[in-house]
Amino acid sequence: MTEIYPSLTQCAVIAAAFKILLFPAYKSTDFEVHRNWLAITNSLPLWDWYYEKTSEWTLDYPPFFAYFEWLMSQVAKLVDPAMLRVYNLEYDSWETVYFQRFTVIVSELLLVHALQMFVDSSHGASKRAAQAAAISILLSPGLLIIDHIHFQYNGCMYGILIASMVLARKRSTLLLSGLSFAALLCMKHIYLYLAPAYFVYLLRVYCLSPKSMFRIQFLNCLKLGGGIVAIFGTAFGPFALKGQIPQIMSRLFPFSRGLCHAYWAPNVWAMYSFLDRALIVVAPRLGLAVKADALQSVTRGLVGDTSFAVLPDIAPRVCFALTLLFQAIPLVKLFVQPTWETFVGAVTLCGYASFLFGWHVHEKAILLVIIPFSLIALKDRRYLSAFRPLAVSGHVSLFPLLFTPGEFPIKTVYTIFWLMLFLMVFDNLAPASSRARTFLFDRFSTLYITVSIPLIVYCSLVHGIVFGKSYEFLPLMFTSSYSAIGVVGSWVGFMVVYFAS
């Protein structure tokens, strides 16, 4: 078959060169987080990793990621041993900065490999669409902002996620799919949000007979169950022998945090919070009671309970119940119709549900929706119609992560260019649907995208010029609320398409 250009390798090389130019860019507290984890895993015995608290940025990822930090620390000590001292807080020599930036790029090779697996698993006319989707993920503004400027290691972990989804495409590699996802859970527990889709799909197509859902394939159950136990045993076993599992769980799941993060993630609770803020203004006219002690807590995102001034407070159990409900709905279809496309759709909808209704959701978690959705966004034009507002809102919602002037042209120009390029390419590649499209939703998508430009200009430039340091939360509130409308609208559109397919 004729080679499709540009290739993923070519794009990866160009992207890496661009990311190297960003080495001196802004770095968030996450840079110090990972420097501290390098120091903890290199300097302290295994048994002290989850107890060390010299820095406020304590180790709060599962053991496989801690082992990953330990491996990197073996190279780090050759670059600058001072970065591996636990008490050397806020240490940021240029060697340390460049080493940590470089490890993000190198670890992202896992993502490149997984995306190539996805392209190679596609055939015929869908191969070109898969190539476009793969390149869009590789060059994602979300990964650029979160990993290569703000500083995290999401690229390699999304590589494992994509690889596990591609392995689920063939019956011969279903076991590897489940085991690789289990390993991913031992690297970052946020992927638990997607686990229900994996459980239902693997149960239906691997553990139950393809001829009858009432016949159990016991050997497959043993292989999958035994493999998962072995992986979790490798990750958590050493700590379990020391009785440290409760300590690890307290680090991984700090439930004492409030409903909303300091900057509202663009979800249902952002819209709820915005409504509460609006009701504060009109409450006296409507005769509504206002809780004075809650006026400053609506957006604080600190440890403790988030309170609303007018609307009822939301309890964690409400978030948990709503998340389970809206995850269960697509899982029913997945169980009845266990195709690979339905599986990817269910993974995406599990990501949507957890992001829209979860407790203390971070804005960065929007990639849990964008990346799996990208794999099927070009299935037909109905899917693309639901993807467009998500692509815009999800990436715009990440802009407040970079608030320094030097990064403003990078995040805006790069994101706008990415949106223009890939939405046009996707529009050309997405085949027509055999079912009727909802043109009202198409009009919403167009209007929504049009509003994004003046919103970005106001929040990034005009507000500061007009108000200076006053009303600093307004741009954040506008960005979050605008983005929430797009994410919720995209979710509704995708739910309609998913169940109509």
Side-chain angles (χ1 to χ4, degrees):
M1 180 179 289
T2 305
E3 184 75 19
I4 302 175
Y5 293 99
S7 69
L8 276 171
T9 302
Q10 291 167 335
C11 292
V13 170
I14 294 172
F18 176 65
K19 291 163 185 174
I20 289 172
L21 294 177
L22 297 176
F23 277 12
Y26 161 82
K27 57 185 185 299
S28 71
T29 52
D30 283 333
F31 175 85
E32 171 61 15
V33 169
H34 290 281
R35 186 216 60 80
N36 185 53
W37 293 359
L38 286 172
I40 288 173
T41 55
N42 183 264
S43 305
L44 301 177
L46 184 72
W47 324 118
D48 294 338
W49 288 3
Y50 287 95
Y51 287 90
E52 165 58 38
K53 55 181 180 180
T54 301
S55 168
E56 63 179 304
W57 312 117
T58 54
L59 181 60
D60 59 6
Y61 273 26
F64 273 1
F65 196 89
Y67 301 157
F68 171 66
E69 293 276 4
W70 178 84
L71 283 173
M72 290 193 296
S73 74
Q74 304 310 302
V75 181
K77 63 186 177 184
L78 304 176
V79 177
D80 185 356
M83 78 172 84
L84 300 178
R85 296 170 189 159
V86 173
Y87 292 94
N88 212 356
L89 304 181
E90 306 297 333
Y91 184 75
D92 62 350
S93 69
W94 73 265
E95 293 94 342
T96 302
V97 173
Y98 279 43
F99 171 77
Q100 290 193 233
R101 296 283 198 199
F102 187 69
T103 56
V104 177
I105 294 175
V106 172
S107 65
E108 210 171 53
L109 291 174
L110 270 174
L111 176 64
V112 178
H113 176 67
L115 290 172
Q116 189 61 59
M117 287 173 59
F118 170 60
V119 175
D120 292 342
S121 69
S122 304
H123 304 285
S126 65
K127 193 176 186 71
R128 184 174 293 277
Q131 180 91 346
I135 294 175
S136 76
I137 295 173
L138 178 64
L139 303 181
S140 165
L143 290 175
L144 182 79
I145 291 172
I146 296 173
D147 282 11
H148 300 281
I149 302 179
H150 193 266
F151 194 82
Q152 285 192 13
Y153 290 92
N154 291 288
C156 64
M157 289 183 282
Y158 278 110
I160 298 172
L161 175 65
I162 293 171
S164 71
M165 295 172 74
V166 173
L167 290 169
R169 207 165 189 173
K170 295 168 58 179
R171 285 196 62 85
S172 60
T173 52
L174 279 171
L175 177 61
L176 287 176
S177 171
L179 298 183
S180 58
F181 184 73
L184 179 61
L185 292 178
C186 294
M187 283 199 76
K188 193 170 183 178
H189 49 301
I190 193 174
Y191 295 100
L192 276 170
Y193 292 138
L194 311 182
Y198 276 85
F199 174 80
V200 170
Y201 185 67
L202 291 172
L203 172 68
R204 184 67 179 84
V205 302
Y206 188 72
C207 295
L208 300 179
S209 170
K211 297 180 180 179
S212 172
M213 68 176 69
F214 300 104
R215 290 174 55 190
I216 301 173
Q217 300 189 94
F218 289 102
L219 180 59
N220 286 356
C221 292
L222 286 174
K223 287 190 289 186
L224 181 60
I228 292 173
V229 168
I231 289 169
F232 275 83
T234 303
F236 292 93
F239 301 97
L241 293 175
K242 291 286 186 176
Q244 294 186 359
I245 298 302
Q247 173 65 16
I248 295 178
M249 291 299 106
S250 70
R251 287 283 182 88
L252 300 185
F253 303 102
F255 289 114
S256 59
R257 292 174 179 173
L259 172 66
C260 297
H261 190 235
Y263 158 56
W264 303 339
N267 60 10
V268 167
W269 308 127
M271 300 170 76
Y272 191 83
S273 298
F274 180 83
L275 178 60
D276 187 73
R277 279 295 190 190
L279 287 174
I280 292 172
V281 178
V282 301
R285 300 177 185 177
L286 299 177
L288 300 174
V290 178
K291 294 177 284 186
D293 59 343
L295 289 176
Q296 300 302 318
S297 71
V298 177
T299 60
R300 66 186 181 188
L302 302 176
V303 173
D305 295 328
T306 301
S307 298
F308 293 96
V310 179
L311 296 174
D313 289 337
I314 303 298
R317 62 178 178 273
V318 173
C319 296
F320 185 69
L322 288 172
T323 300
L324 283 184
L325 171 64
F326 286 107
Q327 285 190 338
I329 293 171
L331 294 180
V332 172
K333 176 174 180 176
L334 176 61
F335 188 83
V336 174
Q337 185 182 328
T339 65
W340 184 78
E341 287 80 9
T342 309
F343 164 63
V344 177
V347 169
T348 304
L349 286 170
C350 283
Y352 266 118
S354 62
F355 185 82
L356 289 174
F357 302 101
W359 179 266
H360 197 78
V361 175
H362 286 246
E363 64 279 2
K364 291 169 281 191
I366 191 62
L367 293 184
L368 279 175
V369 185
I370 294 176
I371 288 181
F373 197 166
S374 298
L375 302 183
I376 55 172
L378 293 174
K379 183 178 179 182
D380 62 45
R381 301 193 70 82
R382 295 175 307 141
Y383 281 79
L384 179 58
S385 293
F387 180 76
R388 283 196 196 100
L390 174 69
V392 175
S393 59
H395 291 114
V396 170
S397 72
L398 298 174
F399 280 12
L401 290 174
L402 306 179
F403 49 83
T404 51
E407 280 67 45
F408 172 74
I410 298 173
K411 68 182 182 182
T412 53
V413 173
Y414 186 90
T415 301
I416 291 172
F417 177 76
W418 183 93
L419 287 169
M420 291 175 60
L421 174 63
F422 284 102
L423 290 183
M424 285 192 297
V425 170
F426 282 14
D427 192 61
N428 288 329
L429 290 175
S433 172
S434 58
R435 297 175 181 266
R437 292 165 58 195
T438 306
F439 288 97
L440 180 62
F441 188 77
D442 289 348
R443 294 190 183 98
F444 160 77
S445 178
T446 303
L447 176 63
Y448 184 81
I449 293 171
T450 303
V451 172
S452 66
I453 302 300
L455 177 84
I456 293 169
V457 172
Y458 172 79
C459 292
S460 301
L461 296 175
V462 176
H463 181 86
I465 295 172
V466 175
F467 296 105
K469 296 291 185 180
S470 302
Y471 307 107
E472 285 185 310
F473 190 72
L474 277 179
L476 292 175
M477 184 171 67
F478 290 153
T479 300
S480 180
S481 301
Y482 164 84
S483 299
I485 293 171
V487 176
V488 172
S490 172
W491 171 64
V492 172
F494 185 53
M495 284 281 278
V496 171
V497 173
Y498 181 78
F499 284 98
S501 299

